[in-house]
Amino acid sequence: MPASKKLLAVILGGGAGNRLFPLTQQRSKPAVPLGGKYRLVDIALSNCINSDILRTFVLTQYNSASLNRHIAQTYRFSRFSDGFVEILAAEQTPESPQWFQGTADAVRQVLPHIRDLGVETLLILSGDHLYRMDYRDFIARHREANADVTVSVIPCEARSASEFGLLKTDESGRIVEFKEKPKGDELLAMQVDTTKLGLDAAEASRRPYLASMGIYVFKYDRLESLLAEDQKWVDFGREIIPAAIKLGHVQAHLFDGYWEDIGTIGAFYRANLDLTTKIPQFNLFDAEAPVYTRARYLPPSKIEETEINDTIVSDGCIINGAKITNCVVGLRSRIFKGVQIDSSFMMGADYYQTFEDMRNDQKEGVPRLGIGEGAIVRRAIIDKNARIGNGARLLNEAGVIEADGAGGSYFIRDGIIIVPKNALIKEGTVI
């Protein structure tokens, strides 16, 4: 299906992302690095490009500078194409003097910009999910059913179902009920025969619940009328979708692939470390549907006298005499002699230090960018431009689940040590 001028994708840039703190201390959730060289927003944008959807708005508000810069530097289409990826930042206007109050309110406030494009179909996506989907199938399902709204759903087991908004469908796939994170009897009542949506009997028995993925296709005029129904409706999941089920025709589109909502530090850590496994759930090597990101033109990584196992190493790294196991090593990472890193995500650096910078650091007793000689790091996330001194031990041997280091030099969340962006861990520090 060729790209249509009547179709527009809108990617929601996310709110404060408190559950991903401190990774969201200086950036929005969609701008958080992923897989060594990407950012989370690259997933939704790559899905759009691979689905021939080349007209996209990205709505941003909170800590948006790095996200805006990344999109501006990355997604530039040919001047002979009418494709675009355009930032729509939250703005105060005479009609709407407040910032975005929720997902639905964000779309409501940018409707004048969407209306100008003469859109008939609107695809609404989240900027912080990890999955690969051909949206053409999603949109085809929406059009075949002649639905006002189509919600992408993923089948799930009982143990995880209560963490999601659940949907109940009839035999035609029409959604008849929605419950937000139900428990107990309410949860049991939301079971669905998922064979009707394409699962075999064994899988349908194992996964009898349909969780909303938080992505939707709307008939544009129907969306406008729903958003005008009540100005207090500010969220798609809590208010707009339940109202649409009562007032119109809402269909389910079954997605039965890998999908991860990167909502917590634990989920973020697991999703990244899974990329290092023999057969990762999210395949970065799919030539039919590549993940796009900024082209940085970095040199190849230089690796000397180093043992590396089950690890992804990104461009532009310099690694000397280290042992690295089950890790994601990000762009421009500098890892010095005798370092041991295990089950960690090192995001790398935004720049290289000059020799003069390094000499000045040495004079002042400041660790250089990267991980210093003899340091040991286990189950950690090292954010960009971090400096970890010689002989530091980041191990969390006491098994602490949550802690804040002095002066914000480190944090522990879900038992994982996090060294924030630009942070400094002194020589010989033990965490």
Side-chain angles (χ1 to χ4, degrees), residues 182-189 209:
K183 303 284 192 299
D185 291 340
E186 279 194 339
L187 176 62
L188 291 173
Y209 296 97

Side-chain angles (χ1 to χ4, degrees), residues 4-5 7-9 53-57 82-84 117 119:
S4 169
K5 292 184 179 180
L7 171 65
L8 177 74
I53 299 170
L54 304 181
R55 292 152 59 86
T56 308
F57 283 150
D82 62 357
F84 60 83
L117 298 175
V119 171

Side-chain angles (χ1 to χ4, degrees), residues 170-243:
D170 64 17
E171 292 198 354
S172 70
R174 182 168 181 161
I175 296 171
V176 295
E177 190 177 355
F178 174 86
K179 291 283 186 183
E180 183 69 32
K181 298 182 180 179
K183 303 284 192 299
D185 291 340
E186 279 194 339
L187 176 62
L188 291 173
M190 293 302 291
Q191 290 190 9
V192 175
D193 179 5
T194 46
T195 59
K196 304 296 183 184
L197 292 170
L199 292 188
D200 62 39
E203 279 301 300
S205 175
R206 188 173 71 86
R207 296 184 291 167
Y209 296 97
L210 294 176
S212 170
M213 295 172 63
I215 63 177
Y216 319 102
V217 181
F218 280 88
K219 284 183 178 175
Y220 176 73
D221 56 355
R222 194 70 188 105
L223 175 62
E224 269 211 340
S225 63
L226 282 165
L227 291 174
E229 191 83 24
D230 190 334
Q231 296 295 312
K232 293 179 182 176
W233 292 351
V234 298
D235 188 83
F236 279 112
R238 283 198 309 268
E239 291 130 359
I240 297 296
I241 298 304

Side-chain angles (χ1 to χ4, degrees), residues 9-72:
V10 172
I11 298 176
L12 303 172
N18 293 327
R19 293 187 301 160
L20 269 182
F21 178 88
L23 303 181
T24 51
Q25 195 170 29
Q26 300 180 44
R27 57 169 81 92
S28 61
K29 272 205 296 184
V32 171
L34 172 81
K37 63 182 289 184
Y38 309 98
R39 293 179 185 256
L40 275 172
V41 75
D42 290 329
I43 302 303
L45 283 167
S46 297
N47 284 339
C48 285
I49 293 168
N50 293 327
S51 303
D52 287 332
I53 299 170
L54 304 181
R55 292 152 59 86
T56 308
F57 283 150
V58 182
L59 310 192
T60 66
Q61 175 169 277
Y62 182 85
N63 255 352
S64 60
S66 62
L67 177 61
N68 295 352
R69 184 169 57 250
H70 174 72
I71 289 172

